Amino acid sequence: MVRAVFGGGKMQPGMTPTLYVDTTSMSQVTSVAVATPAAIGESTDPRLVDTVLGELQALLGEKRFTLWIEGKIGLSIIDDTLTIAVGSPFLLSWMQKQFKEAMTEAARNVLGHSARVAFTVDASLTVGRAIASTAPVSSPSEPGGVPRTLATGRSQSSPRPMTARSSAELHDAILAANADGTTPAKSTNASTVGAIPGSAGRSAGSGMPLSGLARGRRLAELNDFIPGPQTELALTAAKQVAAGLATMFNPLYVHGPVGSGKTHLLEGICRQLKRIQPASNVMLLTSEAFANYFTQALRDRSLPSFRQRFRGVDVFLVDDVEFFESKRVFQEEFLHTFTELVDHGRQVVLTGSRHPRLLTKLGDELGTRFLSGLVCRLDIPDAETRLTIVKAKAARMSGEFAPEALQYVAQRFQSNVRELEGALNCLQTYHSMTNKRVTLNQARQILADLERDCLRIVRLADIERVICNLFGVKPKDLQSESRVRTVSQPRMLAMFLARKHTQSAYTEIGQHFGGRNHSTVMSAERKVQQWLDENSTIQVASQSWTIGEILSTIEQQLLAG
C-alpha cells in the first residue's frame, strides 16, 4: 500500500507529498506513521482528514484546538477507524480523558455512526517543538504578513527529533494547564526548565515555568545586590556558583531572616548562569513547587518522568527548604534527588530561614547533608548598608527625594529590605500625586502611619516564650532558684531583653522571673552587655553561638510574633 503524508493536511502550492510504502494489505493496517511534528493528519484522502480537523476545531474552539491539537498529534483514517497518535504514554492518557468524547463525535460526524476512535503512541512526534510553535511567527510567504499557521490552519515547521528534555517540558506544560485548557508560555530556550509556582513565585497551587514567571517579574541580578559586612561571604559564594565553574562546596546553603536577600541571590545565580551558559539546564523553584510537582506525579502515575526531569539538571536552586519540615514523604523524595545530583557533581544551592541545625523537624539525613557544603548567613543590613540600599533603589525611581529623607528611611526601618522598599514606595506615590520634592518633614509625616502600623508591643511573656523555645528550658526553670549555667544564662538574657524591648521596671522584671529584686536584674543587664562587648559565646545544644547571634535570632522572633 502506498500512502501520501502531507506537511499539514492541505496541500500548499509547490509542496510535494512524502510517500511511504507499506507492503501489508490495506485491511491489515494497524499502525500509524507520522512524518513530521507538523503532519497533523494522514490518510489516503487528505480532504477527509481536513474535514475531521474542521469538526474538532468547531467542537473544541479555536483556542483549545490550536493549543492541543494543531501540530501536536498525528491522525490516520483507515476504513471507519480514526487513530490519534501522540508523543508519550502520559500524553495519551491525558488526551483520552480530555478529548476522547469530542474526537469520537467528530469522527462520527464525518465517517458515520459506526466510526471508532483509537489512540496510540508515536515517539517520533516532536511535541516539544510543537508547544513552542503555539505562538505563531509571521512568514513572508503569506500575503499581508499573515502568520502561516493562521493562514493555512497548519504548521509548516520542520521536524526535529524528540528529546527527553522536550518530553519533560511537555509534561510540565500539561501539569500547569488551567481549567480552561490554557498553559503558561514556554521559554524560548529549551534548556531552561526551572519553575516557580504562582505569578509572583510564591503563591500555592500549580507550578509555573520560569519563562511564565518572567512575563510578570524580572529576575534579580547579582550585580544589583548591595554587599555589606553581614552578606559578603554569601555573596562571594553565590558569585562563584554563578561563574559556572566547579566549586569546593556543594551544596551552598544560605540562611537568614525574611527580606535579607536569599531569593535575590538565587535569582541572580540563575540569571547569570543562563547568560554565560545558555545550554545549561538550570532549575529554580521553591520547595513548595517541588512538593506540588511530586504530588501531581503521584496522582498521574508519572514518577519516572518526574525523576528524569529533576535529577537531570545541571544546577538545582531551591528556595525556602523549611517547607519540608514535618513532611516525611516529600523529605524522602527530595533526599534522593539531592543525593543523586550531588553525587554526580551537579551544583545545588538552597535557602532557608534558619540554620540547618535549627530545622528540628527535618530528618537528620537531609540536615546533615545541608551542612556538608558551605553554610552562609545573611543578617539584617547595618545602618550604612541600609542607606546604600535606599539610595540605590531611590535612584531607579522617578521621584525626587531629599538626602535627609532617604537617611530617615534607612534609620527608621531596620527589620528587612522589604520594609525599606515599602517606605520608598510610599514616598514615590506622594511625589507622583503632588509632583513635589519629598523633604525630611514630609517623609516623617507620610511614613508616620506606616511606622505605627508596623509597631509591635513585646510583653514579658513573649520574651519568656522565645527564650524557652531556643534554649529548651521551661518557664518554671527561669523562675526557679537554680544557678546552673544552662538556666542562669538564659534567665540573664531574658532580663536583658526585657529591659530593651519593654517598658517594665527593674522590680517588675525581677518579680516576673521568680520574685527577684531589682539589683539582680541590673546585674544581669550589665553581665550581658559585657558579653556583647567581649563577643562571648554561649552553648546552645551542641553548638557555640556568639551572644550577638543569639540576641539577633531572639529579636527577630519577637518582632515576627
Side-chain angles (χ1 to χ4, degrees), residues 129-250:
R129 174 114 177 187
I131 289 180
S133 66
T134 56
V137 180
S138 296
S139 171
S141 63
E142 297 297 336
V146 179
R148 175 170 295 188
T149 52
L150 297 181
T152 66
R154 308 289 179 265
S155 170
Q156 302 296 332
S157 58
S158 59
R160 72 178 175 94
M162 179 179 180
T163 63
R165 181 173 294 170
S166 64
S167 176
E169 290 166 354
L170 170 67
H171 174 77
D172 295 337
I174 294 173
L175 292 184
N178 298 326
D180 62 353
T182 61
T183 58
K186 177 183 171 291
S187 171
T188 55
N189 189 331
S191 65
T192 302
V193 293
I196 299 179
S199 60
R202 295 293 180 192
S203 63
S206 63
M208 184 177 189
L210 191 60
S211 58
L213 174 69
R215 290 181 301 175
R217 167 182 162 194
R218 178 179 177 270
L219 294 182
E221 289 274 10
L222 271 182
N223 293 335
D224 293 336
F225 191 93
I226 307 298
Q230 305 82 7
T231 59
E232 285 180 341
L233 177 61
L235 180 58
T236 301
K239 287 182 176 179
Q240 290 185 24
V241 174
L245 304 176
T247 62
M248 299 297 295
F249 48 84
N250 197 13

Side-chain angles (χ1 to χ4, degrees), residues 270-341:
C270 179
R271 191 180 181 95
Q272 180 70 9
L273 283 172
K274 295 309 299 180
R275 180 184 297 116
I276 64 176
Q277 296 181 352
S280 63
N281 189 350
V282 183
M283 179 178 288
L284 166 64
L285 77 169
T286 64
S287 56
E288 183 198 14
F290 180 90
N292 288 340
Y293 277 117
F294 178 62
T295 302
Q296 188 70 40
L298 288 175
R299 183 180 300 118
D300 296 332
R301 301 180 181 178
S302 58
L303 278 178
S305 175
F306 168 85
R307 287 168 178 158
Q308 179 185 13
R309 164 176 162 72
F310 280 87
R311 300 181 189 184
V313 300
D314 299 318
V315 182
F316 195 37
L317 311 171
V318 185
D319 204 3
D320 299 330
V321 294
E322 63 271 10
F323 177 81
F324 291 129
E325 285 194 294
S326 302
K327 300 176 178 66
R328 184 181 59 82
V329 176
F330 295 148
Q331 288 182 31
E332 183 176 350
E333 183 63 30
F334 188 79
L335 171 65
H336 294 309
T337 301
F338 177 93
T339 304
E340 177 79 10
L341 293 173

Side-chain angles (χ1 to χ4, degrees), residues 372-422:
S372 64
L374 176 63
V375 179
C376 301
R377 177 181 175 86
L378 288 178
D379 279 322
I380 296 173
D382 57 16
E384 183 179 352
T385 306
R386 288 198 306 273
L387 181 58
T388 305
I389 293 172
V390 169
K391 289 180 178 179
K393 291 186 177 296
R396 301 191 191 105
M397 296 181 172
S398 60
E400 186 179 358
F401 311 106
E404 297 81 6
L406 298 181
Q407 189 170 6
Y408 173 77
V409 171
Q411 291 175 346
R412 296 301 299 171
F413 298 93
Q414 305 177 8
S415 297
N416 57 66
V417 177
R418 290 173 187 159
E419 284 192 356
L420 297 177
E421 292 174 338

Side-chain angles (χ1 to χ4, degrees), residues 97-118:
K97 293 178 182 178
Q98 296 293 325
F99 301 117
K100 184 175 182 180
E101 183 177 345
M103 289 177 172
T104 301
E105 183 177 349
R108 288 177 178 173
N109 290 343
V110 177
L111 304 177
H113 291 290
S114 62
R116 296 176 299 165
V117 173

Side-chain angles (χ1 to χ4, degrees), residues 454-528:
C454 294
L455 184 64
R456 185 178 185 275
I457 304 300
V458 177
R459 303 170 301 168
L460 292 174
D462 297 327
I463 296 174
E464 184 180 70
R465 171 180 53 80
V466 174
I467 288 287
C468 290
N469 289 340
L470 180 62
F471 289 93
V473 297
K474 298 179 180 179
K476 65 179 181 180
D477 295 330
L478 296 181
Q479 298 168 8
S480 68
E481 297 294 331
S482 176
R483 294 180 178 272
V484 297
R485 183 175 300 177
T486 55
V487 174
S488 63
Q489 287 180 339
R491 184 192 296 131
M492 285 189 283
L493 287 173
M495 293 178 178
F496 176 86
L497 291 169
R499 281 294 299 168
K500 181 177 179 180
H501 292 283
T502 73
Q503 299 297 319
S504 302
Y506 287 116
T507 53
E508 186 178 354
I509 296 172
Q511 286 296 320
H512 182 84
F513 291 102
R516 289 171 167 80
N517 56 38
H518 71 282
S519 60
T520 303
V521 180
M522 295 174 65
S523 176
E525 187 180 18
R526 288 194 300 268
K527 186 67 174 178
V528 174

